[in-house]
Amino acid sequence: MSEVTRVLKTFIGYLKRPDLYPELGRKIIKNTVNRGNAFKGKDKTNSWAAGRAVSQKEAVSKLFGLEIDAFRNNYQEVLATAAEKERGCPVKMGGPGALELIYYACEFTKAQHVVETGVAYGWSSLATLLSLVKRNGTLYSSDMPYLAQDGDQYVGYIVPENLKGGWKLFRFADKESLPRIFSENKVFDVLHYDSDKSYNGRMWAYDELYKHLREGGVFISDDIGDNSAYQDFCEKNNIETTVVEYEGKYIGVFIK
Ligand SMILES: C[S@@+](CC[C@H](N)C(=O)[O-])C[C@H]1O[C@@H](n2cnc3c(N)ncnc32)[C@H](O)[C@@H]1O
């Protein structure tokens, strides 16, 4: 798909969804006057992250006192079925991230309530729900559809039916989804941020999410090397964070 076709398809997708008009306005500003925002402070943060990064295995062991190998062994079949579903999905989205980090954060906190932003195929949702289902917990997720690819129906595509009972998916931009989520549940055990990667988008969401994380809860943010929002947020709040290097990107994680 050419760039012009993609932009046009995205725009038409937005026009068909009046509930996404506020995000359309923000996108226009983001891609015009605020263009530099996506990479603000990127170099500073990449050297900061590189200097402290550890593996996912080390992070899970150091923070949660847990060992990660059981996840792949215990859920081998579920993960293989999900990967098969992903291969058959007509819309292409982002693949799995550091699933063990998410799963063991839920195990460590004995999570009952988790919030995540960014679902795509649903890999992080799957890892979360596999832990939550043991305690009848609930995952609250926020994701905008892939408008350029008519991807509305495929958000969360790999999540198996038997786990959907504990899942509430909010199909708006975070700025609209999160207030709705917080009106249903105020305090969370784990939060996972993996949606709007702009500096301003992160700063807004990190502040909102942090307020709703309980003491002892786990905060995880993906792709923290895109710009310096995560580093700046941690420094502003005197947070000692762990940085995980996973498949060439950095993930931030700390216990509140
Ligand atoms: C990297 S993917 C998420 C991957 C997912 N966490 C996983 O582990 O498979 C990012 C997602 O964020 C969503 N997204 C981007 N900007 C958003 C926004 N402002 N509000 C809500 N969702 C957004 C995209 O639609 C996309 O599905």
mmCIF file of all heavy atoms in Angstrom, residues 14 23 26-27 30 93-99 102 116-126 142-147 155 158 170-177 192-197 201 222-223 249, ligand 1:
data_model
loop_
_atom_site.group_PDB
_atom_site.id
_atom_site.type_symbol
_atom_site.label_atom_id
_atom_site.label_comp_id
_atom_site.label_asym_id
_atom_site.label_seq_id
_atom_site.Cartn_x
_atom_site.Cartn_y
_atom_site.Cartn_z
ATOM 1 N N TYR A 14 -11.284 6.878 10.030
ATOM 2 C CA TYR A 14 -11.639 7.787 11.124
ATOM 3 C C TYR A 14 -13.016 8.409 10.898
ATOM 4 O O TYR A 14 -13.830 8.512 11.817
ATOM 5 C CB TYR A 14 -10.608 8.919 11.233
ATOM 6 C CG TYR A 14 -9.462 8.618 12.174
ATOM 7 C CD1 TYR A 14 -8.165 8.433 11.699
ATOM 8 C CD2 TYR A 14 -9.669 8.525 13.541
ATOM 9 C CE1 TYR A 14 -7.109 8.163 12.554
ATOM 10 C CE2 TYR A 14 -8.620 8.251 14.409
ATOM 11 C CZ TYR A 14 -7.343 8.072 13.908
ATOM 12 O OH TYR A 14 -6.313 7.802 14.769
ATOM 13 N N GLU A 23 -9.417 11.755 18.602
ATOM 14 C CA GLU A 23 -8.080 11.240 18.296
ATOM 15 C C GLU A 23 -7.641 11.720 16.911
ATOM 16 O O GLU A 23 -6.455 11.999 16.703
ATOM 17 C CB GLU A 23 -8.074 9.709 18.374
ATOM 18 C CG GLU A 23 -6.740 9.048 18.115
ATOM 19 C CD GLU A 23 -5.643 9.370 19.144
ATOM 20 O OE1 GLU A 23 -5.965 9.950 20.198
ATOM 21 O OE2 GLU A 23 -4.471 9.058 18.861
ATOM 22 N N ARG A 26 -6.161 15.055 17.388
ATOM 23 C CA ARG A 26 -4.826 14.962 18.012
ATOM 24 C C ARG A 26 -3.785 14.455 17.012
ATOM 25 O O ARG A 26 -2.656 14.906 16.990
ATOM 26 C CB ARG A 26 -4.892 14.029 19.238
ATOM 27 C CG ARG A 26 -5.703 14.599 20.393
ATOM 28 C CD ARG A 26 -5.517 13.783 21.652
ATOM 29 N NE ARG A 26 -6.135 12.488 21.592
ATOM 30 C CZ ARG A 26 -7.387 12.213 22.027
ATOM 31 N NH1 ARG A 26 -8.149 13.162 22.544
ATOM 32 N NH2 ARG A 26 -7.874 10.996 21.950
ATOM 33 N N LYS A 27 -4.204 13.503 16.150
ATOM 34 C CA LYS A 27 -3.264 12.941 15.146
ATOM 35 C C LYS A 27 -2.820 14.021 14.172
ATOM 36 O O LYS A 27 -1.652 14.087 13.784
ATOM 37 C CB LYS A 27 -3.957 11.818 14.366
ATOM 38 C CG LYS A 27 -3.784 10.453 14.960
ATOM 39 C CD LYS A 27 -3.044 9.524 13.995
ATOM 40 C CE LYS A 27 -2.239 8.459 14.691
ATOM 41 N NZ LYS A 27 -2.925 7.717 15.718
ATOM 42 N N LYS A 30 -0.330 16.096 15.876
ATOM 43 C CA LYS A 30 0.895 15.307 16.084
ATOM 44 C C LYS A 30 1.730 15.228 14.803
ATOM 45 O O LYS A 30 2.947 15.274 14.834
ATOM 46 C CB LYS A 30 0.480 13.895 16.525
ATOM 47 C CG LYS A 30 1.586 13.044 17.057
ATOM 48 C CD LYS A 30 1.031 11.969 17.973
ATOM 49 C CE LYS A 30 0.863 10.664 17.252
ATOM 50 N NZ LYS A 30 0.256 9.633 18.100
ATOM 51 N N MET A 93 -0.027 -6.947 12.052
ATOM 52 C CA MET A 93 0.199 -6.027 13.186
ATOM 53 C C MET A 93 1.502 -6.428 13.868
ATOM 54 O O MET A 93 2.205 -7.322 13.407
ATOM 55 C CB MET A 93 -0.963 -6.122 14.168
ATOM 56 C CG MET A 93 -2.297 -5.776 13.574
ATOM 57 S SD MET A 93 -3.659 -5.806 14.755
ATOM 58 C CE MET A 93 -4.436 -7.340 14.385
ATOM 59 N N GLY A 94 1.791 -5.797 15.017
ATOM 60 C CA GLY A 94 3.034 -6.096 15.746
ATOM 61 C C GLY A 94 2.963 -7.464 16.433
ATOM 62 O O GLY A 94 1.901 -7.873 16.892
ATOM 63 N N GLY A 95 4.092 -8.180 16.490
ATOM 64 C CA GLY A 95 4.138 -9.510 17.096
ATOM 65 C C GLY A 95 4.365 -9.462 18.601
ATOM 66 O O GLY A 95 4.316 -8.382 19.204
ATOM 67 N N PRO A 96 4.621 -10.618 19.217
ATOM 68 C CA PRO A 96 4.739 -10.683 20.680
ATOM 69 C C PRO A 96 5.946 -9.935 21.241
ATOM 70 O O PRO A 96 7.001 -9.902 20.611
ATOM 71 C CB PRO A 96 4.881 -12.184 20.956
ATOM 72 C CG PRO A 96 5.221 -12.824 19.666
ATOM 73 C CD PRO A 96 4.788 -11.932 18.576
ATOM 74 N N GLY A 97 5.791 -9.380 22.430
ATOM 75 C CA GLY A 97 6.889 -8.726 23.140
ATOM 76 C C GLY A 97 7.395 -9.641 24.244
ATOM 77 O O GLY A 97 7.373 -10.876 24.108
ATOM 78 N N ALA A 98 7.828 -9.035 25.348
ATOM 79 C CA ALA A 98 8.398 -9.806 26.456
ATOM 80 C C ALA A 98 7.259 -10.376 27.305
ATOM 81 O O ALA A 98 6.894 -9.835 28.358
ATOM 82 C CB ALA A 98 9.307 -8.910 27.282
ATOM 83 N N LEU A 99 6.689 -11.483 26.842
ATOM 84 C CA LEU A 99 5.484 -12.033 27.479
ATOM 85 C C LEU A 99 5.722 -12.517 28.902
ATOM 86 O O LEU A 99 4.850 -12.399 29.763
ATOM 87 C CB LEU A 99 4.925 -13.196 26.645
ATOM 88 C CG LEU A 99 4.548 -12.874 25.199
ATOM 89 C CD1 LEU A 99 3.899 -14.080 24.549
ATOM 90 C CD2 LEU A 99 3.611 -11.675 25.138
ATOM 91 N N ILE A 102 5.418 -9.788 31.556
ATOM 92 C CA ILE A 102 4.020 -9.440 31.853
ATOM 93 C C ILE A 102 3.364 -10.536 32.711
ATOM 94 O O ILE A 102 2.731 -10.257 33.727
ATOM 95 C CB ILE A 102 3.235 -9.242 30.535
ATOM 96 C CG1 ILE A 102 3.856 -8.103 29.719
ATOM 97 C CG2 ILE A 102 1.764 -8.997 30.802
ATOM 98 C CD1 ILE A 102 3.368 -8.035 28.291
ATOM 99 N N GLU A 116 -4.079 -2.467 30.344
ATOM 100 C CA GLU A 116 -3.050 -2.386 29.306
ATOM 101 C C GLU A 116 -3.524 -1.459 28.198
ATOM 102 O O GLU A 116 -4.721 -1.378 27.906
ATOM 103 C CB GLU A 116 -2.719 -3.764 28.713
ATOM 104 C CG GLU A 116 -3.793 -4.326 27.820
ATOM 105 C CD GLU A 116 -3.372 -5.570 27.023
ATOM 106 O OE1 GLU A 116 -2.188 -5.953 27.035
ATOM 107 O OE2 GLU A 116 -4.262 -6.157 26.386
ATOM 108 N N THR A 117 -2.553 -0.760 27.596
ATOM 109 C CA THR A 117 -2.868 0.052 26.421
ATOM 110 C C THR A 117 -2.108 -0.556 25.251
ATOM 111 O O THR A 117 -0.925 -0.857 25.368
ATOM 112 C CB THR A 117 -2.452 1.525 26.613
ATOM 113 O OG1 THR A 117 -1.028 1.611 26.565
ATOM 114 C CG2 THR A 117 -2.965 2.109 27.919
ATOM 115 N N GLY A 118 -2.795 -0.779 24.137
ATOM 116 C CA GLY A 118 -2.178 -1.395 22.972
ATOM 117 C C GLY A 118 -2.386 -2.896 22.988
ATOM 118 O O GLY A 118 -1.808 -3.601 23.807
ATOM 119 N N VAL A 119 -3.219 -3.389 22.090
ATOM 120 C CA VAL A 119 -3.570 -4.817 22.069
ATOM 121 C C VAL A 119 -3.052 -5.504 20.804
ATOM 122 O O VAL A 119 -2.454 -6.580 20.878
ATOM 123 C CB VAL A 119 -5.107 -4.996 22.173
ATOM 124 C CG1 VAL A 119 -5.508 -6.460 22.027
ATOM 125 C CG2 VAL A 119 -5.624 -4.443 23.497
ATOM 126 N N ALA A 120 -3.296 -4.910 19.643
ATOM 127 C CA ALA A 120 -2.937 -5.505 18.339
ATOM 128 C C ALA A 120 -3.480 -6.948 18.260
ATOM 129 O O ALA A 120 -4.658 -7.170 18.554
ATOM 130 C CB ALA A 120 -1.437 -5.424 18.102
ATOM 131 N N TYR A 121 -2.670 -7.941 17.940
ATOM 132 C CA TYR A 121 -3.172 -9.324 17.887
ATOM 133 C C TYR A 121 -3.632 -9.816 19.263
ATOM 134 O O TYR A 121 -4.428 -10.732 19.366
ATOM 135 C CB TYR A 121 -2.058 -10.285 17.455
ATOM 136 C CG TYR A 121 -1.626 -10.174 16.031
ATOM 137 C CD1 TYR A 121 -0.302 -9.858 15.720
ATOM 138 C CD2 TYR A 121 -2.514 -10.398 14.981
ATOM 139 C CE1 TYR A 121 0.122 -9.778 14.405
ATOM 140 C CE2 TYR A 121 -2.095 -10.311 13.667
ATOM 141 C CZ TYR A 121 -0.775 -10.003 13.386
ATOM 142 O OH TYR A 121 -0.358 -9.925 12.090
ATOM 143 N N GLY A 122 -3.019 -9.244 20.317
ATOM 144 C CA GLY A 122 -3.434 -9.662 21.654
ATOM 145 C C GLY A 122 -2.409 -10.498 22.398
ATOM 146 O O GLY A 122 -2.761 -11.222 23.339
ATOM 147 N N TRP A 123 -1.141 -10.406 22.029
ATOM 148 C CA TRP A 123 -0.120 -11.225 22.712
ATOM 149 C C TRP A 123 0.021 -10.850 24.184
ATOM 150 O O TRP A 123 0.039 -11.723 25.065
ATOM 151 C CB TRP A 123 1.236 -11.095 22.004
ATOM 152 C CG TRP A 123 1.295 -11.904 20.764
ATOM 153 C CD1 TRP A 123 1.239 -11.435 19.483
ATOM 154 C CD2 TRP A 123 1.399 -13.338 20.660
ATOM 155 N NE1 TRP A 123 1.306 -12.491 18.594
ATOM 156 C CE2 TRP A 123 1.399 -13.655 19.288
ATOM 157 C CE3 TRP A 123 1.486 -14.371 21.592
ATOM 158 C CZ2 TRP A 123 1.504 -14.976 18.825
ATOM 159 C CZ3 TRP A 123 1.585 -15.674 21.138
ATOM 160 C CH2 TRP A 123 1.588 -15.974 19.775
ATOM 161 N N SER A 124 0.120 -9.547 24.468
ATOM 162 C CA SER A 124 0.266 -9.144 25.871
ATOM 163 C C SER A 124 -1.027 -9.446 26.637
ATOM 164 O O SER A 124 -0.993 -9.819 27.815
ATOM 165 C CB SER A 124 0.627 -7.659 25.980
ATOM 166 O OG SER A 124 -0.248 -6.881 25.192
ATOM 167 N N SER A 125 -2.162 -9.323 25.951
ATOM 168 C CA SER A 125 -3.445 -9.647 26.584
ATOM 169 C C SER A 125 -3.465 -11.127 26.954
ATOM 170 O O SER A 125 -3.871 -11.506 28.060
ATOM 171 C CB SER A 125 -4.619 -9.356 25.645
ATOM 172 O OG SER A 125 -4.423 -8.159 24.939
ATOM 173 N N LEU A 126 -2.998 -11.967 26.038
ATOM 174 C CA LEU A 126 -2.973 -13.412 26.289
ATOM 175 C C LEU A 126 -2.107 -13.735 27.514
ATOM 176 O O LEU A 126 -2.535 -14.471 28.415
ATOM 177 C CB LEU A 126 -2.430 -14.139 25.045
ATOM 178 C CG LEU A 126 -2.168 -15.637 25.184
ATOM 179 C CD1 LEU A 126 -3.453 -16.394 25.515
ATOM 180 C CD2 LEU A 126 -1.554 -16.208 23.897
ATOM 181 N N SER A 142 -7.112 -1.130 26.213
ATOM 182 C CA SER A 142 -7.489 -0.020 25.335
ATOM 183 C C SER A 142 -6.747 -0.165 24.016
ATOM 184 O O SER A 142 -5.539 -0.375 23.999
ATOM 185 C CB SER A 142 -7.072 1.286 26.027
ATOM 186 O OG SER A 142 -7.010 2.357 25.108
ATOM 187 N N ASP A 143 -7.467 -0.119 22.917
ATOM 188 C CA ASP A 143 -6.790 -0.101 21.608
ATOM 189 C C ASP A 143 -7.652 0.543 20.551
ATOM 190 O O ASP A 143 -8.861 0.355 20.511
ATOM 191 C CB ASP A 143 -6.431 -1.515 21.123
ATOM 192 C CG ASP A 143 -5.345 -1.472 20.047
ATOM 193 O OD1 ASP A 143 -5.457 -0.650 19.124
ATOM 194 O OD2 ASP A 143 -4.388 -2.242 20.143
ATOM 195 N N MET A 144 -6.971 1.290 19.692
ATOM 196 C CA MET A 144 -7.612 1.831 18.508
ATOM 197 C C MET A 144 -7.445 0.799 17.416
ATOM 198 O O MET A 144 -6.448 0.118 17.350
ATOM 199 C CB MET A 144 -6.861 3.066 18.051
ATOM 200 C CG MET A 144 -6.921 4.140 19.039
ATOM 201 S SD MET A 144 -6.854 5.696 18.239
ATOM 202 C CE MET A 144 -6.497 5.320 16.576
ATOM 203 N N PRO A 145 -8.399 0.706 16.542
ATOM 204 C CA PRO A 145 -8.279 -0.256 15.445
ATOM 205 C C PRO A 145 -7.239 0.189 14.419
ATOM 206 O O PRO A 145 -6.843 1.339 14.378
ATOM 207 C CB PRO A 145 -9.662 -0.242 14.827
ATOM 208 C CG PRO A 145 -10.227 1.097 15.184
ATOM 209 C CD PRO A 145 -9.645 1.464 16.495
ATOM 210 N N TYR A 146 -6.810 -0.774 13.602
ATOM 211 C CA TYR A 146 -5.922 -0.452 12.489
ATOM 212 C C TYR A 146 -6.788 0.061 11.337
ATOM 213 O O TYR A 146 -7.225 -0.697 10.494
ATOM 214 C CB TYR A 146 -5.151 -1.696 12.064
ATOM 215 C CG TYR A 146 -3.980 -1.958 12.966
ATOM 216 C CD1 TYR A 146 -4.172 -2.348 14.279
ATOM 217 C CD2 TYR A 146 -2.688 -1.780 12.516
ATOM 218 C CE1 TYR A 146 -3.112 -2.560 15.111
ATOM 219 C CE2 TYR A 146 -1.612 -1.991 13.355
ATOM 220 C CZ TYR A 146 -1.826 -2.386 14.647
ATOM 221 O OH TYR A 146 -0.782 -2.591 15.483
ATOM 222 N N LEU A 147 -7.007 1.355 11.344
ATOM 223 C CA LEU A 147 -7.992 1.918 10.421
ATOM 224 C C LEU A 147 -7.596 1.766 8.955
ATOM 225 O O LEU A 147 -8.437 1.540 8.104
ATOM 226 C CB LEU A 147 -8.216 3.387 10.767
ATOM 227 C CG LEU A 147 -8.803 3.603 12.177
ATOM 228 C CD1 LEU A 147 -8.791 5.062 12.551
ATOM 229 C CD2 LEU A 147 -10.212 3.057 12.273
ATOM 230 N N VAL A 155 -8.463 -6.855 16.260
ATOM 231 C CA VAL A 155 -7.782 -6.491 17.509
ATOM 232 C C VAL A 155 -8.080 -7.585 18.543
ATOM 233 O O VAL A 155 -9.231 -7.928 18.786
ATOM 234 C CB VAL A 155 -8.244 -5.099 18.001
ATOM 235 C CG1 VAL A 155 -7.721 -4.822 19.402
ATOM 236 C CG2 VAL A 155 -7.764 -4.017 17.048
ATOM 237 N N ILE A 158 -5.858 -13.239 18.515
ATOM 238 C CA ILE A 158 -5.282 -14.515 18.971
ATOM 239 C C ILE A 158 -5.735 -14.932 20.372
ATOM 240 O O ILE A 158 -5.366 -15.995 20.858
ATOM 241 C CB ILE A 158 -3.732 -14.473 18.946
ATOM 242 C CG1 ILE A 158 -3.222 -13.395 19.912
ATOM 243 C CG2 ILE A 158 -3.181 -14.250 17.559
ATOM 244 C CD1 ILE A 158 -1.971 -13.820 20.613
ATOM 245 N N PHE A 170 -11.704 -1.911 25.416
ATOM 246 C CA PHE A 170 -12.256 -0.586 25.129
ATOM 247 C C PHE A 170 -11.705 -0.118 23.798
ATOM 248 O O PHE A 170 -10.502 0.083 23.660
ATOM 249 C CB PHE A 170 -11.908 0.396 26.265
ATOM 250 C CG PHE A 170 -12.595 0.057 27.551
ATOM 251 C CD1 PHE A 170 -12.216 -1.054 28.291
ATOM 252 C CD2 PHE A 170 -13.648 0.833 28.023
ATOM 253 C CE1 PHE A 170 -12.865 -1.390 29.472
ATOM 254 C CE2 PHE A 170 -14.304 0.510 29.205
ATOM 255 C CZ PHE A 170 -13.912 -0.603 29.927
ATOM 256 N N ARG A 171 -12.610 0.065 22.823
ATOM 257 C CA ARG A 171 -12.173 0.320 21.451
ATOM 258 C C ARG A 171 -12.151 1.799 21.117
ATOM 259 O O ARG A 171 -12.836 2.257 20.216
ATOM 260 C CB ARG A 171 -13.105 -0.439 20.496
ATOM 261 C CG ARG A 171 -13.266 -1.907 20.843
ATOM 262 C CD ARG A 171 -11.933 -2.612 20.694
ATOM 263 N NE ARG A 171 -11.365 -2.311 19.405
ATOM 264 C CZ ARG A 171 -11.680 -2.960 18.291
ATOM 265 N NH1 ARG A 171 -12.507 -3.948 18.317
ATOM 266 N NH2 ARG A 171 -11.128 -2.631 17.153
ATOM 267 N N PHE A 172 -11.370 2.560 21.879
ATOM 268 C CA PHE A 172 -11.197 3.992 21.623
ATOM 269 C C PHE A 172 -9.717 4.318 21.760
ATOM 270 O O PHE A 172 -8.923 3.478 22.186
ATOM 271 C CB PHE A 172 -11.948 4.839 22.657
ATOM 272 C CG PHE A 172 -13.358 4.420 22.892
ATOM 273 C CD1 PHE A 172 -13.695 3.584 23.942
ATOM 274 C CD2 PHE A 172 -14.372 4.874 22.051
ATOM 275 C CE1 PHE A 172 -14.998 3.194 24.165
ATOM 276 C CE2 PHE A 172 -15.680 4.485 22.266
ATOM 277 C CZ PHE A 172 -16.005 3.648 23.323
ATOM 278 N N ALA A 173 -9.358 5.582 21.477
ATOM 279 C CA ALA A 173 -8.007 6.044 21.795
ATOM 280 C C ALA A 173 -7.872 6.103 23.317
ATOM 281 O O ALA A 173 -8.873 6.271 24.028
ATOM 282 C CB ALA A 173 -7.791 7.423 21.190
ATOM 283 N N ASP A 174 -6.628 5.977 23.808
ATOM 284 C CA ASP A 174 -6.397 5.950 25.263
ATOM 285 C C ASP A 174 -7.053 7.131 25.987
ATOM 286 O O ASP A 174 -7.573 6.973 27.092
ATOM 287 C CB ASP A 174 -4.892 6.003 25.577
ATOM 288 C CG ASP A 174 -4.174 4.747 25.104
ATOM 289 O OD1 ASP A 174 -4.846 3.724 24.896
ATOM 290 O OD2 ASP A 174 -2.936 4.814 24.952
ATOM 291 N N LYS A 175 -7.001 8.298 25.363
ATOM 292 C CA LYS A 175 -7.544 9.482 26.059
ATOM 293 C C LYS A 175 -9.032 9.331 26.324
ATOM 294 O O LYS A 175 -9.564 9.937 27.253
ATOM 295 C CB LYS A 175 -7.262 10.767 25.266
ATOM 296 C CG LYS A 175 -5.824 11.206 25.436
ATOM 297 C CD LYS A 175 -5.642 12.711 25.381
ATOM 298 C CE LYS A 175 -4.273 13.051 25.937
ATOM 299 N NZ LYS A 175 -3.515 14.021 25.181
ATOM 300 N N GLU A 176 -9.713 8.543 25.499
ATOM 301 C CA GLU A 176 -11.129 8.260 25.751
ATOM 302 C C GLU A 176 -11.299 6.954 26.537
ATOM 303 O O GLU A 176 -12.179 6.847 27.396
ATOM 304 C CB GLU A 176 -11.911 8.169 24.429
ATOM 305 C CG GLU A 176 -12.279 9.510 23.813
ATOM 306 C CD GLU A 176 -11.088 10.294 23.287
ATOM 307 O OE1 GLU A 176 -10.263 9.732 22.541
ATOM 308 O OE2 GLU A 176 -10.966 11.476 23.641
ATOM 309 N N SER A 177 -10.448 5.964 26.250
ATOM 310 C CA SER A 177 -10.603 4.659 26.925
ATOM 311 C C SER A 177 -10.267 4.733 28.410
ATOM 312 O O SER A 177 -11.004 4.183 29.242
ATOM 313 C CB SER A 177 -9.657 3.607 26.333
ATOM 314 O OG SER A 177 -9.979 3.276 25.038
ATOM 315 N N HIS A 192 0.387 -2.168 31.850
ATOM 316 C CA HIS A 192 1.301 -2.369 30.721
ATOM 317 C C HIS A 192 0.973 -1.345 29.653
ATOM 318 O O HIS A 192 -0.139 -1.311 29.137
ATOM 319 C CB HIS A 192 1.122 -3.796 30.168
ATOM 320 C CG HIS A 192 2.010 -4.083 28.995
ATOM 321 N ND1 HIS A 192 1.542 -4.474 27.784
ATOM 322 C CD2 HIS A 192 3.357 -4.020 28.880
ATOM 323 C CE1 HIS A 192 2.563 -4.647 26.956
ATOM 324 N NE2 HIS A 192 3.679 -4.372 27.596
ATOM 325 N N TYR A 193 1.966 -0.489 29.350
ATOM 326 C CA TYR A 193 1.760 0.566 28.355
ATOM 327 C C TYR A 193 2.442 0.194 27.042
ATOM 328 O O TYR A 193 3.664 -0.004 26.998
ATOM 329 C CB TYR A 193 2.342 1.901 28.868
ATOM 330 C CG TYR A 193 2.021 3.052 27.944
ATOM 331 C CD1 TYR A 193 0.783 3.688 28.028
ATOM 332 C CD2 TYR A 193 2.910 3.483 26.982
ATOM 333 C CE1 TYR A 193 0.452 4.724 27.157
ATOM 334 C CE2 TYR A 193 2.594 4.517 26.116
ATOM 335 C CZ TYR A 193 1.367 5.126 26.219
ATOM 336 O OH TYR A 193 1.038 6.152 25.363
ATOM 337 N N ASP A 194 1.646 0.128 25.963
ATOM 338 C CA ASP A 194 2.221 -0.260 24.668
ATOM 339 C C ASP A 194 1.381 0.305 23.522
ATOM 340 O O ASP A 194 1.072 -0.385 22.563
ATOM 341 C CB ASP A 194 2.276 -1.806 24.589
ATOM 342 C CG ASP A 194 3.114 -2.310 23.425
ATOM 343 O OD1 ASP A 194 3.896 -1.524 22.860
ATOM 344 O OD2 ASP A 194 2.990 -3.492 23.079
ATOM 345 N N SER A 195 0.991 1.598 23.641
ATOM 346 C CA SER A 195 0.128 2.165 22.592
ATOM 347 C C SER A 195 0.753 3.402 21.959
ATOM 348 O O SER A 195 1.721 3.272 21.214
ATOM 349 C CB SER A 195 -1.252 2.464 23.173
ATOM 350 O OG SER A 195 -1.142 3.247 24.352
ATOM 351 N N ASP A 196 0.231 4.584 22.244
ATOM 352 C CA ASP A 196 0.704 5.833 21.631
ATOM 353 C C ASP A 196 2.162 6.081 22.044
ATOM 354 O O ASP A 196 2.445 6.319 23.215
ATOM 355 C CB ASP A 196 -0.209 6.976 22.109
ATOM 356 C CG ASP A 196 0.216 8.329 21.546
ATOM 357 O OD1 ASP A 196 1.236 8.399 20.831
ATOM 358 O OD2 ASP A 196 -0.478 9.310 21.843
ATOM 359 N N LYS A 197 3.071 6.046 21.074
ATOM 360 C CA LYS A 197 4.496 6.120 21.415
ATOM 361 C C LYS A 197 5.054 7.547 21.406
ATOM 362 O O LYS A 197 6.255 7.741 21.577
ATOM 363 C CB LYS A 197 5.313 5.232 20.456
ATOM 364 C CG LYS A 197 4.867 3.765 20.434
ATOM 365 C CD LYS A 197 5.119 3.078 21.769
ATOM 366 C CE LYS A 197 4.428 1.751 21.953
ATOM 367 N NZ LYS A 197 4.877 0.635 21.180
ATOM 368 N N GLY A 201 1.993 11.799 24.352
ATOM 369 C CA GLY A 201 1.019 10.720 24.601
ATOM 370 C C GLY A 201 1.443 9.888 25.800
ATOM 371 O O GLY A 201 0.631 9.557 26.675
ATOM 372 N N ASP A 222 6.517 -0.513 27.245
ATOM 373 C CA ASP A 222 7.272 -1.017 26.103
ATOM 374 C C ASP A 222 7.978 0.129 25.367
ATOM 375 O O ASP A 222 7.609 1.288 25.539
ATOM 376 C CB ASP A 222 6.277 -1.699 25.136
ATOM 377 C CG ASP A 222 6.815 -3.028 24.656
ATOM 378 O OD1 ASP A 222 8.022 -3.079 24.378
ATOM 379 O OD2 ASP A 222 6.057 -3.994 24.582
ATOM 380 N N ASP A 223 8.975 -0.231 24.572
ATOM 381 C CA ASP A 223 9.635 0.712 23.638
ATOM 382 C C ASP A 223 10.044 2.035 24.265
ATOM 383 O O ASP A 223 9.826 3.100 23.669
ATOM 384 C CB ASP A 223 8.701 1.004 22.448
ATOM 385 C CG ASP A 223 8.446 -0.235 21.615
ATOM 386 O OD1 ASP A 223 9.379 -1.019 21.420
ATOM 387 O OD2 ASP A 223 7.301 -0.414 21.170
ATOM 388 N N LYS A 249 14.998 -3.767 21.593
ATOM 389 C CA LYS A 249 14.309 -2.590 22.117
ATOM 390 C C LYS A 249 14.380 -2.587 23.635
ATOM 391 O O LYS A 249 14.763 -3.604 24.250
ATOM 392 C CB LYS A 249 12.868 -2.528 21.624
ATOM 393 C CG LYS A 249 12.067 -3.716 22.069
ATOM 394 C CD LYS A 249 10.655 -3.667 21.551
ATOM 395 C CE LYS A 249 9.843 -4.743 22.248
ATOM 396 N NZ LYS A 249 8.461 -4.754 21.903
HETATM 397 C C1 LIG B 1 2.703 -2.431 19.505
HETATM 398 S S1 LIG B 1 1.004 -2.621 19.326
HETATM 399 C C2 LIG B 1 0.524 -3.430 20.790
HETATM 400 C C3 LIG B 1 1.069 -4.816 20.896
HETATM 401 C C4 LIG B 1 0.486 -5.635 22.044
HETATM 402 N N1 LIG B 1 0.689 -5.017 23.331
HETATM 403 C C5 LIG B 1 1.082 -7.045 22.048
HETATM 404 O O1 LIG B 1 1.802 -7.390 22.982
HETATM 405 O O2 LIG B 1 0.808 -7.794 21.109
HETATM 406 C C6 LIG B 1 0.432 -0.989 19.554
HETATM 407 C C7 LIG B 1 -1.095 -0.822 19.530
HETATM 408 O O3 LIG B 1 -1.413 0.445 20.075
HETATM 409 C C8 LIG B 1 -2.552 0.959 19.433
HETATM 410 N N2 LIG B 1 -2.562 2.416 19.589
HETATM 411 C C9 LIG B 1 -1.733 3.330 19.046
HETATM 412 N N3 LIG B 1 -2.055 4.570 19.457
HETATM 413 C C10 LIG B 1 -3.101 4.438 20.313
HETATM 414 C C11 LIG B 1 -3.894 5.341 21.081
HETATM 415 N N4 LIG B 1 -3.650 6.654 21.056
HETATM 416 N N5 LIG B 1 -4.882 4.843 21.836
HETATM 417 C C12 LIG B 1 -5.126 3.500 21.879
HETATM 418 N N6 LIG B 1 -4.417 2.601 21.172
HETATM 419 C C13 LIG B 1 -3.426 3.060 20.397
HETATM 420 C C14 LIG B 1 -2.416 0.477 17.982
HETATM 421 O O4 LIG B 1 -3.693 0.369 17.396
HETATM 422 C C15 LIG B 1 -1.719 -0.870 18.149
HETATM 423 O O5 LIG B 1 -2.641 -1.926 18.102
#
